[in-house]
Amino acid sequence: MGDNNSWVGVVPTQRQIGYRVILVQVFIALFLCINFLQISTFFKREIFRTTMRYILFANTLLSDSVFLILTDIALVLMYYRIAIDISLCLIICIGSSLYTFVTQVTLTAMTLERYVAICMPLRHRELCTTDNSLHCILIIHSISSIPVTVLVSIFFASAARTVYTHRLWCVAEIYILHSWQGHLNSAINHLYSFVMFVIIVFCYVKIMKVAKVASGENRTSSQKGLQTVALHGFQLLLCLISLWCPFIEATFSEDFMLYMSVKYFNYVVFMLAPRCLSPLIYGLRDEKFSKAVKHDMCFGFQMQKSSPFFV
C-alpha cells in the first residue's frame, strides 16, 4: 500500500483521462445493454429457463455484468485519483475477483455440457436437467469463492486494525500485504488455470473424434460444438491471462504513468474483451436464442406471435 504515496503529484493529462475513460464507458454501456437484453430474453421463455446450456449462459451474462460494473467503478476511481475507505475497496476487489473466477468456471462447465451433448447424447437429458443446472451454479460459485476466501482471510488475519481507517486508491494489490501472499495467489491461479485448460483440451479432443466419424446432421452439430468449444477456449485463455495482470502491473508500480497505461491495456484486452465475447458466442451463434433476441428487439411486431416458440 506504500506505492500510493510514490504516485502523489503524478497525474495523466486530462485529455488522456477523458479519452480512455469515455472509451471504456461506451464499450461497457453497449455490452451491458446487450447483456440485459439477453438476460431479459432468457427469463421470458421457459424453453431457455429449463435448458442447461442457456442457464449457464445466463449465469455468465450476470457474472460478466457484475464484473464490468465493479471493475469500471475501480477504473474511474483510479483515473480520477479518488481515495475511498479500504473496507469499500475490499468489497469492490472481492466482488471483481469472485466474478473473474465465476466466469471462467462457468465457461468450463459450458464446455463440459457441450461434451456431454455431443459425446454422450443418450445421457444428456438425464444429466443436464434444470435441477442439476441450479446445483451446478451453486458448485460454480463455491469453487470460485475459494481463492478469494483464502486471500481475504489471510488479509483480515494479517492486517492491523488501523488499516481499516485508511483512505486510498482502490487497487487489487491492497489485500496482498506480504510477498508470500502473492506467491500463494500465483499458486492458486496456476492450479485453476491448469485444471480448466485440461478440461477444455479433453473436451475438444473428444468432440473432434466424434465430428470425424459423424455424418449428416450429427456431423454439422459436432462441428458447431467443436467451434463453440474452441471459442470458449479462446475466451478462457484471455480470462486466464487476466489473472496474471496484477503481477505484470506490479513491476511498473514505480512509474505511475506507465503503470496506468499498462493497467488500462490489460483491462481492455484481458478483462473487458473476453466479457464482451459471451453474448456474441451464444447470443448470436445460437439460432433459437438469436431469433428470440431479435423478436424482443423488435418488440414482437416483426415476428409471428402465433408461433409456439415465442409464447
Side-chain angles (χ1 to χ4, degrees), residues 19-309:
Y19 287 157
R20 291 180 178 182
V21 172
I22 289 173
L23 181 62
V24 168
Q25 303 315 305
V26 170
F27 275 112
I28 289 180
L30 173 63
F31 279 96
L32 282 178
C33 289
I34 294 173
N35 284 4
F36 291 146
L37 173 62
Q38 295 190 352
I39 290 169
S40 173
T41 298
F42 167 80
F43 282 109
K44 283 180 180 178
R45 291 165 176 81
E46 185 178 1
I47 188 174
F48 299 142
R49 297 196 307 270
T50 55
T51 306
M52 175 175 268
R53 62 173 171 158
Y54 295 118
I55 294 173
L56 293 176
F57 172 53
N59 186 58
T60 304
L61 292 177
L62 289 168
S63 170
D64 288 346
S65 298
V66 173
F67 177 86
L68 289 174
I69 291 170
L70 291 176
T71 54
D72 185 44
I73 292 172
L75 186 76
V76 171
L77 291 174
M78 171 61 76
Y79 262 97
Y80 289 101
R81 303 174 71 233
I82 301 173
I84 61 174
D85 291 336
I86 192 171
S87 56
L88 180 58
C89 183
L90 278 171
I91 293 173
I92 295 174
C93 291
I94 290 170
S96 58
S97 297
L98 171 63
Y99 285 102
T100 294
F101 282 101
V102 167
T103 294
Q104 296 168 12
V105 178
T106 305
L107 286 173
T108 307
M110 292 171 76
T111 300
L112 285 171
E113 187 276 334
R114 287 294 82 199
Y115 162 73
V116 173
I118 294 170
C119 300
M120 306 167 60
L122 297 179
R123 298 204 62 193
H124 183 262
R125 185 182 295 272
E126 173 191 347
L127 295 174
C128 299
T129 63
T130 304
D131 288 341
N132 286 345
S133 302
L134 299 178
H135 294 155
C136 184
I137 290 176
L138 289 176
I139 293 171
I140 287 169
H141 281 78
S142 298
I143 293 173
S144 303
S145 65
I146 293 173
V148 182
T149 302
V150 170
L151 292 173
V152 171
S153 298
I154 294 172
F155 174 83
F156 287 146
S158 305
R161 291 184 179 180
T162 55
V163 169
Y164 301 105
T165 62
H166 292 172
R167 292 177 64 86
L168 40 69
W169 295 352
C170 188
V171 292
E173 294 81 5
I174 64 165
Y175 56 78
I176 299 180
L177 302 178
H178 309 287
S179 59
W180 61 266
Q181 285 180 268
H183 297 317
L184 177 62
N185 191 28
S186 177
I188 294 173
N189 290 345
H190 267 100
L191 177 61
Y192 272 66
S193 301
F194 176 75
V195 172
M196 289 186 283
F197 175 77
V198 169
I199 292 173
I200 291 284
V201 172
F202 170 81
C203 293
Y204 187 86
V205 171
K206 289 292 185 181
I207 294 174
M208 188 188 304
K209 290 180 178 179
V210 172
K212 286 183 178 180
V213 299
S215 60
E217 292 184 4
N218 289 336
R219 185 177 182 83
T220 302
S221 176
S222 298
Q223 290 290 352
K224 191 170 183 179
L226 200 62
Q227 293 172 5
T228 301
V229 172
L231 288 170
H232 282 168
F234 175 71
Q235 188 179 9
L236 188 59
L237 176 62
L238 292 178
C239 291
L240 293 178
I241 293 175
S242 73
L243 297 176
W244 293 97
C245 289
F247 301 104
I248 298 171
E249 294 158 8
T251 62
F252 302 98
S253 59
E254 297 300 324
D255 186 335
F256 180 77
M257 292 288 289
L258 187 56
Y259 173 86
M260 291 297 291
S261 296
V262 172
K263 192 174 186 68
Y264 181 82
F265 175 83
N266 288 341
Y267 177 71
V268 172
V269 176
F270 301 122
M271 295 185 183
L272 183 59
R275 269 77 191 179
C276 298
L277 288 176
S278 293
L280 303 179
I281 291 175
Y282 258 102
L284 297 182
R285 291 182 70 253
D286 186 279
E287 186 177 352
K288 285 184 179 180
F289 200 85
S290 178
K291 285 183 178 179
V293 170
K294 290 176 182 177
H295 176 271
D296 290 345
M297 287 180 65
C298 300
F299 302 100
F301 294 125
Q302 297 180 8
M303 297 287 183
Q304 293 181 356
K305 291 186 178 181
S306 59
S307 172
F309 176 73

